Amino acid sequence: MHEFVAGIWIWAFGLFHAVPAAVVLLLLVIVTEVVIILLPVIVAVAFLTLLERKVIGWMQLRFGPNVITFFDLPILRDFEKLNGLMQPFADVIKLLLKEIIIPARANKVLFLLAPVLTLTTALVAWAVIPFSPDFVLADVNAGLLYILAMTSAGVYGIILSGWATNSKYAFLGSMRSAAQIVAYEIAMGFALVGVLMAAGSLNLGDIVRAQSHGVGSWFIWPLLPLAVVYFISGVAETNRSPFDVAEGESEIVAGFHVEYSGASFATLFALPEYANMILIATLTSVFFFGGWLSPFEGLPGFLGAPSFFWLFVKLCFFLFVYLWIRATFPRYRYDQIMRLGWKVLIPVTIVWIGVEGLMAFLHVGPWKA
């Protein structure tokens, strides 16, 4: 992929009979690849909000958004199923046009810095995701540690947003979120220790390649309890229902983002939350379901070839599960969330790491000769 993008830029410069310097070409390639990754993620975030409302509406036997069309073009009026398709863009325009109100006693610098920090940590984690056998922005050997660091750093933006507003409700919501993320980050980290033991590498591309040779080689089979723990922890990390007590409207008036409005609200709450949902769904596919590997590996043609298509199908499934969970389970009490994280999920991961050690000793599963 790097060579392909570089070739396009060399061709573009050639139209003007110019040759770019090596440093300029490298910078252009990196910026282009960043745009190729982040632009679809941001667009996917917008349409994921629409999908969520449509899916939950379908599950609850009611309509989701079904009014806003593309400027009411006559050619589209007969396609009723497209109605509501432009709802995400209407929401974005509405948020951007709203006034950003900064509370009088707030720390203005930190108040505006918190959304930027939350958004940045949500987006930079995509740098090490292997989208296909030949496309990853940064193929670093410590990719697993990088993912853990970036997903953990997002809590600082939430804590800053709660403290900087000088509001008791916002501060209580940020403290709840911090305690919840710490609890489930430990469970998530232990689950990834199991992935490291099975793959023998911190490189995400190597983790995917370690699951080659068919569906039976995917890590979901020997690491099933860890996969369940990882996904549940991911739901809790993103403050999604039923783990959304950090935003409990009936208790703390929307929590850490209660004083935010307009674009700052979208940056702090909406975009990072949905971007992290897509990230967790993608990482679950990479760590336990073979990433871009085909479930029909060995068959000739497209069905057996590894590609981004298979990663996309898997992450779409896990995003559907995300929405399914929200439509199904009521919100937990705070003590129930803490009990689940500390007394159930963490012990499960520790026990299964011991089971993995036994499997490695006996050369079973990924450790067989």
Side-chain angles (χ1 to χ4, degrees), residues 220-249:
I220 181 60
W221 310 119
L223 309 183
L224 178 59
L226 300 185
V228 174
V229 168
Y230 183 83
F231 190 74
I232 293 175
S233 299
V235 176
E237 283 264 308
T238 51
N239 287 324
R240 293 282 301 180
S241 179
F243 300 96
D244 57 343
V245 293
E247 305 154 12
E249 296 90 346

Side-chain angles (χ1 to χ4, degrees), residues 243-263:
F243 300 96
D244 57 343
V245 293
E247 305 154 12
E249 296 90 346
S250 60
E251 308 161 26
I252 51 179
V253 199
F256 60 89
H257 56 79
V258 67
E259 300 291 350
Y260 284 84
S261 60

Side-chain angles (χ1 to χ4, degrees), residues 99-120:
E99 180 182 4
I100 298 177
I101 300 173
I102 302 178
R105 294 180 178 274
N107 185 315
K108 294 179 175 57
V109 174
L110 296 181
F111 184 87
L112 296 175
L113 177 63
V116 176
L117 182 59
T118 304
L119 179 62
T120 301

Side-chain angles (χ1 to χ4, degrees), residues 25-65:
L25 181 61
L26 178 61
L27 182 61
L28 288 173
V29 169
I30 293 174
V31 171
T32 303
E33 291 182 344
V34 168
V35 172
I36 290 173
I37 293 172
L38 293 188
L39 188 60
V41 169
I42 294 172
V43 173
V45 164
F47 280 100
L48 185 56
T49 61
L50 173 65
L51 180 65
E52 178 174 28
R53 295 152 79 178
K54 284 285 191 181
V55 168
I56 295 177
W58 168 63
M59 289 182 173
Q60 297 175 348
L61 298 180
R62 59 178 176 79
F63 293 111

